[in-house]
Amino acid sequence: MLHPQTQAIHTGHFADASNAIMPPIILSTTFERGEDGLSFPSGYMYSRYDNPNRHALEEKLNALEGGTECITFASGLAAAMAIFQSLGTGSHLILPDDIYFGVRNILEKLYASWGLSFTVVDMTNLKEVERAITPKTKLIWTETPSNPQLKITDLQAIANIAKAHKLLTVCDNTWGTPYFQQPFAMGIDIVHHSTTKYLGGHSDILGGALIFKEQSAVTEFVRNFQKIGGAVPSPFECWLLSRSLATFYARMPIHASNAMQLATYLSQHPKIEKVMYPGLPDNEYHALAQKQMRNGFGGMLSILVKGGQTAALQIASGMKIIRHATSLGGVESLIEHRKSVEGELSKSPENLLRVSVGIEHIDDLIADFGQVLAKI
């Protein structure tokens, strides 16, 4: 069995007649039939159904998460929609109260007339999760660490509850990544990723993925949804993401080390009210994070600043190195005021800033915070 670092480079590799070390980008939308007029000797017919670059990427992501099948999409939200679509009309699901707002947006705006209902719970309160289960409940959706308040959900406990009630479980592992967290080892059924983030790692790819622990009717439905619905990543994005994954295991330790050092610095600063980062020993989720995460605690943190929204926006706009922008997981550090992005229905505190800690030198990141905090 190859180590993950090796799998990230070599799994899914395919060659053409040139024997190029790097797999080529196959842009063709259609593939030639065999001499019998019925078969497809290459295994490919039409790029909406499959493509060599997409197939290679899915093999690679599946290996990194340790699943049985990976299905990729044009975005993380398209991947989430595939799961929601598989539940059927009249179904009920359970969501965490701190969740990427786009997921909840899908359910509220696109499925409002579809008969799909949901209950929002504090996923760290297991009794609250159990109370939310109804006869129509089909799925428990988890996100850990959560976005943007970095709550940690006990995945093993959620999986046990779900199995007792014959429910599916999904873990959004975008922040945890397979480097820090292996949801399948804790009983989760499906892993969800916005591959735009850490897996892509360079803020230049849009994509999503679902990895399945076991084959099931849901897996078959989602594969058909991908092929028939057509929300697939392009060959170029698949190729670029495969290339990015080659450095994934080199990038992630730096993200985690920088985040830990920056969180420690900010937790001691008099102008910071609170630092949300599970790696800090006094964090309320530290013990659980130590139990179910490995190799560190990720590259994301959020802070509550003194002075409310005004001070938060001044800090975000006053950075010299850290860029004030949406998204996360790239090699460059980003900061964002989440409430102003999420809108009126946002549950994020008005003084919360989310920080995606990049792989720059930590001294430069600390100095950047230092210069802006000195002006507030």
Side-chain angles (χ1 to χ4, degrees):
M1 183 69 176
L2 296 176
H3 289 81
Q5 295 92 324
T6 307
Q7 290 179 315
I9 296 170
H10 293 287
T11 298
H13 180 87
F14 67 93
D16 64 357
S18 70
N19 287 324
I21 294 299
M22 285 299 294
I25 306 172
I26 308 297
L27 295 175
S28 180
T29 57
T30 190
F31 300 86
E32 191 172 6
R33 292 178 183 243
E35 291 183 0
D36 60 6
L38 300 173
S39 63
F40 293 88
S42 69
Y44 301 99
M45 179 185 72
Y46 184 64
S47 60
R48 172 162 52 82
Y49 287 92
D50 204 357
N51 166 277
N53 297 110
R54 189 162 86 233
H55 185 79
L57 172 62
E58 290 179 347
E59 284 193 350
K60 198 181 293 285
L61 291 174
N62 189 55
L64 297 187
E65 284 287 6
T68 61
E69 184 168 359
C70 172
I71 304 174
T72 54
F73 292 88
S75 71
L77 289 179
M81 283 185 67
I83 290 294
F84 299 150
Q85 198 81 16
S86 75
L87 300 179
T89 58
S91 296
H92 173 262
L93 64 153
I94 300 172
L95 300 180
D97 57 358
D98 191 50
I99 185 174
Y100 172 52
F101 83 109
V103 173
R104 186 165 174 174
N105 243 6
I106 287 177
L107 294 168
E108 291 180 336
K109 295 184 178 179
L110 301 185
Y111 286 92
S113 60
W114 208 66
L116 195 65
S117 63
F118 64 93
T119 300
V120 175
V121 303
D122 178 358
M123 202 65 69
T124 67
N125 185 333
L126 299 177
K127 291 182 179 179
E128 191 173 329
V129 175
E130 290 204 78
R131 282 196 297 267
I133 296 172
T134 76
K136 293 185 177 181
T137 305
K138 297 282 187 69
L139 179 144
I140 302 177
W141 183 284
T142 67
E143 182 181 293
T144 182
S146 68
N147 181 1
Q149 299 190 52
L150 291 105
K151 291 184 175 183
I152 303 295
T153 296
D154 188 332
L155 293 178
Q156 186 66 69
I158 294 295
N160 291 342
I161 291 171
K163 283 178 173 54
H165 294 271
K166 298 181 180 179
L167 307 177
L168 274 176
T169 51
V170 174
C171 176
D172 186 333
N173 204 29
T174 299
W175 283 25
T177 81
Y179 182 80
F180 298 113
Q181 188 167 260
Q182 294 281 323
F184 290 148
M186 290 169 275
I188 296 298
D189 299 309
I190 305 167
V191 169
H192 171 269
H193 279 286
S194 169
T195 56
T196 308
K197 311 304 192 298
Y198 284 106
L199 298 178
H202 296 80
S203 302
D204 55 8
I205 302 167
L206 189 68
L210 295 169
I211 302 98
F212 295 81
K213 184 179 182 180
E214 297 176 356
Q215 297 289 321
S216 68
V218 175
T219 313
E220 183 179 356
F221 178 94
V222 170
R223 179 63 78 183
N224 284 331
F225 185 85
Q226 179 209 45
K227 290 182 176 182
I228 298 170
V232 296
S234 72
F236 178 67
E237 285 175 311
C238 291
W239 178 88
L240 198 57
L241 182 51
S242 290
R243 190 186 73 158
S244 293
L245 286 170
T247 63
F248 173 71
Y249 283 89
R251 291 183 275 112
M252 298 314 294
I254 306 175
H255 283 294
S257 175
N258 280 357
M260 185 69 207
Q261 292 179 75
L262 184 60
T264 301
Y265 164 76
L266 292 171
S267 69
Q268 299 167 356
H269 200 285
K271 294 181 181 178
I272 301 299
E273 181 181 308
K274 182 179 181 180
V275 176
M276 301 172 180
Y277 186 68
L280 294 174
D282 61 349
N283 181 272
E284 60 263 51
Y285 306 110
H286 181 67
L288 179 57
Q290 279 188 310
K291 175 185 173 183
Q292 71 180 29
M293 298 182 78
R294 60 182 189 174
N295 302 322
F297 302 93
M300 296 299 301
L301 61 91
S302 289
I303 58 175
L304 300 180
V305 304
K306 295 179 180 178
Q309 179 169 303
T310 300
L313 289 172
Q314 287 176 339
I315 290 170
S317 299
M319 295 291 184
K320 305 297 184 183
I321 296 173
I322 302 170
R323 310 299 290 272
H324 188 187
T326 295
S327 201
L328 58 100
V331 293
E332 70 291 325
S333 294
L334 301 178
I335 191 168
E336 183 171 41
H337 182 250
R338 289 304 297 166
K339 192 171 185 66
S340 59
V341 171
E342 295 172 1
E344 295 179 359
L345 299 178
S346 173
K347 305 299 181 183
S348 298
E350 65 173 19
N351 63 334
L352 183 144
L353 291 172
R354 189 186 71 185
V355 186
S356 174
V357 186
I359 64 172
E360 303 95 338
H361 196 286
I362 185 58
D363 290 351
D364 295 327
L365 299 180
I366 289 174
D368 203 14
F369 262 100
Q371 64 84 21
V372 73
L373 288 170
K375 300 174 184 176
I376 301 303

